Amino acid sequence: QVQVVESGGGLVQPGGSLKLACTVSAGAIASNNIGWYRQRIGDQRELVAVTINRRNTNYADFVKGRFTISRDNAKNTLYLQMNSLELEDTAVYYCRVYWNWNIYWGQGTQVTVSWGQGTQVTVSS
């Protein structure tokens, strides 16, 4: 059994950055098929980025140039650096690992891109 744990999600304003981490057990970080998916409210889960055969990385068109996937084998961790975040990137992000003929998913980490509620500024004489 492989344990998959995502972390690093949170609330960020448009244009901001977040770095997600996915820690896996049982040596599965060496997987030939490991990557990130996301699911927005009302949508199906979709591919964000995946590393195939430890060399080739495929990115979804909507994240090219903004997101970067990387791996630290010593820490058993897969990362997703997300820059220039957009409102449409709001979703639960999942790590998926293919290991020993099985597919393992983490529980997901929520990423929310929002301007926030704002703050009132009043100038008076």
Side-chain angles (χ1 to χ4, degrees):
Q1 185 74 12
V2 174
Q3 303 299 317
V4 181
V5 180
E6 303 98 334
S7 62
L11 175 64
V12 64
Q13 291 189 343
S17 298
L18 281 175
K19 187 173 185 177
L20 306 183
C22 169
T23 302
V24 301
S25 65
I29 192 63
S31 169
N32 287 327
N33 187 325
I34 184 170
W36 291 94
Y37 290 71
R38 74 183 188 186
Q39 187 165 16
R40 298 185 292 182
I41 293 176
D43 289 349
Q44 292 186 339
R45 197 169 296 188
E46 60 185 352
L47 171 71
V48 175
V50 63
T51 297
I52 305 294
N53 296 329
R54 308 179 194 176
R55 292 191 303 274
N56 301 317
T57 300
N58 297 324
Y59 292 96
D61 287 342
F62 56 77
V63 303
K64 284 182 179 177
R66 300 189 298 127
F67 293 7
T68 303
I69 193 172
S70 62
R71 178 184 349 211
D72 186 333
N73 292 335
K75 295 183 178 180
N76 297 314
T77 302
L78 182 76
Y79 298 101
L80 183 68
Q81 177 67 49
M82 305 187 296
N83 298 327
S84 302
L85 283 162
E86 304 171 352
L87 295 173
E88 295 75 18
D89 294 318
T90 295
V92 178
Y93 284 72
Y94 297 90
C95 182
R96 174 187 180 273
V97 180
Y98 179 77
W99 187 248
N100 286 343
W101 302 283
N102 290 296
I103 293 174
Y104 299 92
W105 292 91
Q107 81 290 347
T109 184
Q110 176 70 48
V111 172
T112 302
V113 184
S114 174
W115 287 111
Q117 81 281 3
T119 183
Q120 177 68 47
V121 174
T122 301
V123 178
S124 63
S125 59

